[in-house]
Amino acid sequence: MVDLVVRSRRAVLPGGERAAAVSVAGGRIVAVGEHYAVVEAAEDVDLGGLALLPGLVDTHVHVNEPGRTEWEGFASATRAAAAGGVTAIVDMPLNSLPPTVTVAALELKREAAAGQIHVDVGFWGGAVPGNAGDLPGLHRAGVYGFKAFLADSGVPEFPPLDPAQLAEALAAVDAQFVIHAEDPDHLHAAASSPAYADFLASRPPEAEHAAVATAIEAARVAGARVHILHLSAATALPLIAAARAGGLRVTAETCPHYLTLDAAGIPAGATEFKCCPPIRDAANRDLLWAALADGLITCVVSDHSPCTPDLKRRDTGDFAAAWGGIASVQLGLPVVWTAARERGHSLADVTDWMARRPADLAGLAGKGRIAVGADADLVAFDPDATFVVDPRRLHHRNPVTPYAGKTLTGVVRTTWLRGRTVTGAAPHGRFLTREAS
């Protein structure tokens, strides 16, 4: 007898979408059979017309605990993740205090998270000036790789690397590096203004283009693995294409907001839309979709980066003074699916971008796919249901979102983590480490 069988006429499997029965025992998938296969199970769930997806993997989440837990915390962030069909996250090394730049800081973060995570959680380490010697130990302690900024991070305790320091970090450890690619020489101080165009002008595409070139050259010299985070400027895509064609281990991601929002549609003073790098125009957005479709951009992740409402400066609407970050870990799936289906993409495409490929980036072999041996992380998803985004129904700590009032398509009905339903009441997430993945 197995613990659970979930049946769906629309199971999204590695080979595509088909009717299937997924059997679960001991938290893992033990069989993927025909829809009406006879299975002796303690629990038999037939989803009917609902789609069955693998749990999404979000490798770009800022949880902020400890230190800035009033911005976000492990309980609220992982509850929001589960509500959005995300069953594994990899936490960024900032904006927590201390940042995850030493083994001691990693242990503090694990202690802070213990007993309150609703999905499985892994961690990135941080590469900052002067900590190259700490990177091998952090890698041995289980982080999935290292985040580095090439421009100001927004918090003083996580300073950027210059090209020489980036080279030193890449030489210190054979690991996945994930890079915030904006070049400080091409950034300008934004004037105090409620006009989004003024903020956008302060972070031109040239800043991303130059920083991507820097990261690619560093990868070439070191023979390193480099991943470009939250790519927003399509002008950098030819650089990434050339690097990959030349055999370099360079990949890139983008985010739901860059794929669905348009600079021209951002109202004056609507600082909930501020993020770095910024949301650009519709023509740029179309180029990002094309790169995602042809595999040049490998995955879509949230860059969930919340703060307290006062830091968004909605009282003044001043984009220059507002914190830059969009909180969307709960909404990423319906946001992307709403736009993807309009562009002719399938649920299999979306789960590839948001489950399998992020899992592959971090080396989470047991995540992001419905396959025998994988963790039984599953999502019952209604791909045709619509809803209006109500910030009061979001689970992240501070209900600020640029999607408020938008009608989205696709509703998560149930999320299973290793075969157990995630209710948001009793946390049963686990820590993920590089060695155990």
Side-chain angles (χ1 to χ4, degrees), residues 34-52:
E34 297 302 319
H35 184 214
Y36 291 112
V38 176
V39 181
E40 188 178 1
E43 183 180 8
D44 193 318
V45 177
D46 192 337
L47 299 182
L50 296 182
L52 180 63

Side-chain angles (χ1 to χ4, degrees), residues 375-393:
D375 287 350
D377 298 346
L378 304 169
V379 176
F381 183 65
D382 188 336
D384 300 315
T386 62
F387 69 102
V388 176
V389 177
D390 179 353
R392 295 170 300 179
R393 297 178 65 85

